[in-house]
Amino acid sequence: MMNANTILKSQLVSAHGSAPKKVTHINYDSRKVNTNGCFVCISGKSTDGHKFIEMAISQGCVQIIGDQQDSLLEHAERSPHVQFLHVKDSKKALALYSSHLHQHVHKSMRLIGVTGTHGKTTITAYIRSLLNGAGIKTGSIGTAGVWDHQKMLPLDKSTPTTPESSDLHAYLSLMKKKDISSVVMEATSIGIDQERLYGLHFDIAVHSNLYPEHLDYHETFENYKKAKLSLFEKAGTSVVNIDDAGMSKDIISVFKGTLWTYGLSDDADVHAKNITFSKRGCCVDLIVKGRLFSVFLPILGVHNVYNFLASVCVCLAKGMTIGDLLPLFQKLEGPPGRLQLIPEFANRTMIFDFAHTPLALEQLFKTVEPLSYNRLILMITGIGIREKSLRAPIAKAAEGRADEIVVTADHPGEELPIDIVNDVLDGFETIGPQIHPVPNRGEAIKKAMGLTEEGDLLLITGICMENFQIVKGRKVPYYDYDHVKAFLNSSRNSRERELELTESDGAVYQS
């Protein structure tokens, strides 16, 4: 029998009906609950899970959890063979029950939570890269997907960044079976506020920075900050960006555990000086507790230097030495599509970047300013599953900033890619021969690569990190890098054929 009191603890208000002999799975989506399942009713802004109780029962659900007593009692009278559990907070109950079904594996794992407005995805990737490089099997969960210690896992995420608790515990259980001992995850303000991390303890909590965001959800900046700060109440060690005016002082003033600080300020435990950028990365003087180390990093942008410093602090907090870390820096791996250098494109500098808004494009242009190159080739994109009003401004932000501009479409959704491209084109004041509309994203990448010459800089922007495109409501498998490889292979084959013809001509001539 499933003992609800033991599982749900103080969250349980009352129980109606006999406890099921067996519960094999739990979900907040009635469509994903079947025989021997538990359905948790969550009330949201757009819908209410209590409305789908009958659907869940018709699919074999044996247990219902909710926080609306009247609705539960009404259904309990009609379905006496199902147990109904009235709880104080459905989301907390979902987290507790999910943890129980997965044998509380999180308690035997070292969890690292990363929060902040910008940088979470990159910090998460850097930490995973360094820890795995040091032999500590580490997985990650966040915007870039769910990764084990070797690769991204083919899992559908319930949310863009911080998963719902039932999915999160399932991912942790999967990683435990792979002998992964540490997991680093992005902790969004909304995910924290919605109790997706309820019941978890973090060995280390990382702060990147704080700027106003998600105020449509939180309503005020203080509420937004409060959600972020609560992560540090669940942690034993904090890593704080000392240069951030948004939240660093708030954390430092109240945190009672072990504290590591980073930044460009001399006051930070780990800081950087004398940063110089090249096409392949940057050279940095890294100062750790007063000791200086000159290192090369395969990253671009001062903001990524900050992200790197945060990841170094995490490794040091986990007991590694700077000597352990130094050999790993040159192989540092960031997330796909975030200022990602593509070294295979010979004699050019090719970068994938997630930029898909005017502001992000402007930041990207500033980041590449220190690089030396002949011409700038740029690919921009309109996104079908976002508001049409966002498309034309992309063109306005790009106009006059590149020698050649390829315009394409991302995630066309229900629209035709050519219509999305035309919406972007509307933002240009003048459409000359340097503007190249190519509706298919893969073909657009090959077009942009074909426009380059030796010494050029090529920026491929848009949602580069996804392994699918949303077309007519379906996720169609798609990966940018496949088209890069196809272009390089095609170019290589063309050169080989040219060489064969040249050699053949030479042989005839010699005879």
Side-chain angles (χ1 to χ4, degrees):
M1 291 288 184
M2 304 298 289
N3 189 326
N5 282 303
T6 302
I7 299 169
L8 299 176
K9 303 174 183 176
S10 62
Q11 283 300 310
L12 183 64
V13 177
S14 60
H16 308 276
S18 300
K21 293 180 180 180
K22 180 171 63 173
V23 172
T24 58
H25 61 283
I26 188 170
N27 212 294
Y28 52 89
D29 186 339
S30 60
R31 297 166 296 184
K32 297 180 180 180
V33 179
N34 48 52
T35 304
N36 293 324
C38 174
F39 173 53
V40 180
C41 309
I42 293 178
S43 303
K45 291 184 177 180
S46 59
T47 189
D48 182 356
H50 295 82
K51 295 178 180 179
F52 301 95
I53 291 175
E54 286 187 14
M55 176 191 287
I57 293 173
S58 70
Q59 294 170 176
C61 176
V62 294
Q63 198 171 50
I64 303 289
I65 295 176
D67 52 19
Q68 294 182 14
Q69 185 176 34
D70 291 345
S71 177
L72 295 175
L73 290 175
E74 179 185 337
H75 284 92
E77 289 182 6
R78 296 203 298 264
S79 304
H81 61 291
V82 177
Q83 186 181 42
F84 291 80
L85 303 176
H86 179 211
V87 296
K88 297 175 184 177
D89 187 318
S90 290
K91 291 184 177 180
K92 289 182 178 179
L94 176 65
L96 292 171
Y97 210 133
S98 300
S99 176
H100 167 79
L101 286 179
H102 292 286
Q103 293 78 51
H104 308 291
V105 295
H106 63 92
K107 294 183 178 180
S108 62
M109 306 177 87
R110 302 302 184 196
L111 304 183
I112 304 161
V114 182
T115 198
T117 305
H118 305 300
K120 297 186 296 296
T121 303
T122 301
I123 292 173
T124 296
Y126 287 172
I127 293 170
R128 176 183 170 275
S129 174
L130 291 176
L131 293 182
N132 280 311
I136 301 172
K137 279 191 176 182
T138 304
S140 64
I141 300 170
T143 305
V146 181
W147 295 66
D148 63 14
H149 57 297
Q150 296 175 318
K151 62 185 183 303
M152 184 167 69
L153 302 177
L155 299 170
D156 285 333
K157 297 188 297 177
S158 53
T159 69
T161 306
T162 306
E164 293 289 354
S165 58
S166 53
D167 298 315
L168 178 57
H169 285 281
Y171 300 157
L172 294 175
S173 179
L174 178 61
M175 291 185 191
K176 185 66 177 178
K177 292 173 183 175
K178 294 173 177 275
D179 294 323
I180 288 173
S181 59
S182 293
V183 177
V184 53
M185 66 182 77
E186 295 182 55
T188 64
S189 59
I190 295 174
I192 294 169
D193 186 68
Q194 293 184 353
E195 305 293 358
R196 298 176 200 167
L197 305 179
Y198 184 75
L200 297 183
H201 172 78
F202 290 87
D203 286 78
I204 304 171
V206 184
H207 150 253
S208 62
N209 47 62
L210 196 74
Y211 300 96
E213 190 181 51
H214 301 309
L215 299 188
D216 55 334
Y217 176 89
H218 294 288
E219 296 183 350
T220 68
F221 182 68
E222 284 306 311
N223 287 342
Y224 175 53
K225 181 192 291 189
K226 183 179 178 181
K228 296 282 191 184
L229 284 170
S230 67
L231 177 68
F232 297 87
E233 298 171 4
K234 313 173 193 288
T237 297
S238 287
V239 172
V240 179
N241 175 3
I242 200 171
D243 296 340
D244 174 57
M247 196 168 75
S248 62
K249 290 181 180 178
D250 299 88
I251 300 170
I252 293 170
S253 65
V254 300
F255 189 72
K256 304 301 181 184
T258 304
L259 179 69
W260 284 81
T261 59
Y262 70 94
L264 301 187
S265 167
D266 291 344
D267 296 331
D269 296 322
V270 178
H271 59 280
K273 286 186 174 298
N274 303 321
I275 306 167
T276 57
F277 292 99
S278 69
K279 293 179 181 178
R280 298 302 172 199
C282 64
C283 293
V284 174
D285 283 345
L286 175 67
I287 297 95
V288 179
K289 300 276 190 178
R291 298 172 62 198
L292 187 149
F293 306 88
S294 294
V295 300
F296 171 79
L297 306 171
I299 64 176
L300 296 173
V302 172
H303 61 291
N304 276 334
V305 174
Y306 272 97
N307 297 334
F308 162 74
L309 295 174
S311 68
V312 170
C313 283
V314 169
C315 293
L316 296 174
K318 284 182 71 69
M320 298 173 66
T321 68
I322 192 65
D324 297 328
L325 294 172
L326 288 173
L328 306 176
F329 292 159
Q330 290 192 21
K331 298 178 181 178
L332 185 68
E333 293 182 10
R338 300 291 178 103
L339 277 176
Q340 179 185 2
L341 286 162
I342 308 298
E344 294 90 340
F345 201 15
N347 302 314
R348 284 97 165 150
T349 301
M350 182 176 183
I351 297 173
F352 278 170
D353 193 72
F354 190 62
H356 57 278
T357 66
L359 186 61
L361 272 181
E362 187 61 41
Q363 177 62 48
L364 177 59
F365 293 141
K366 288 181 180 178
T367 298
V368 301
E369 270 180 11
L371 306 184
S372 60
Y373 54 86
N374 294 335
R375 299 184 308 148
L376 174 58
I377 314 300
L378 173 67
M379 190 184 91
I380 60 174
T381 182
I383 303 175
I385 58 174
R386 302 277 176 88
E387 298 94 324
K388 288 186 178 184
S389 62
L390 299 176
R391 297 172 190 170
I394 289 288
K396 291 179 181 177
E399 190 160 23
R401 307 298 291 269
D403 297 278
E404 305 280 354
I405 300 176
V406 178
V407 183
T408 191
D410 254 339
H411 296 305
E414 300 299 323
E415 297 183 68
L416 293 174
I418 186 62
D419 292 338
I420 297 168
V421 168
N422 286 334
D423 286 341
V424 177
L425 293 174
D426 286 342
F428 288 107
E429 288 189 12
T430 305
I431 298 179
Q434 80 282 8
I435 308 295
H436 309 272
V438 184
N440 180 279
R441 183 173 173 88
E443 293 303 314
I445 288 173
K446 289 185 274 191
K447 174 68 175 179
M449 294 177 74
L451 289 169
T452 64
E453 299 171 357
E454 287 193 11
D456 286 349
L457 170 62
L458 172 57
L459 301 179
I460 300 292
T461 70
I463 305 181
C464 315
M465 64 196 339
E466 304 283 19
N467 56 6
F468 62 88
Q469 286 276 305
I470 297 176
V471 182
K472 302 295 182 183
R474 295 190 307 114
K475 289 184 177 180
V476 178
Y478 170 88
Y479 189 38
D480 274 350
Y481 198 65
D482 289 340
H483 299 279
V484 173
K485 289 189 292 185
F487 178 87
L488 294 176
N489 289 337
S490 175
S491 299
R492 190 178 299 114
N493 292 336
S494 296
R495 287 196 300 272
E496 289 174 355
R497 284 195 296 272
E498 290 174 6
L499 182 60
E500 287 172 1
L501 288 172
T502 302
E503 290 175 347
S504 175
D505 290 343
V508 172
Y509 175 77
Q510 290 169 1
S511 66

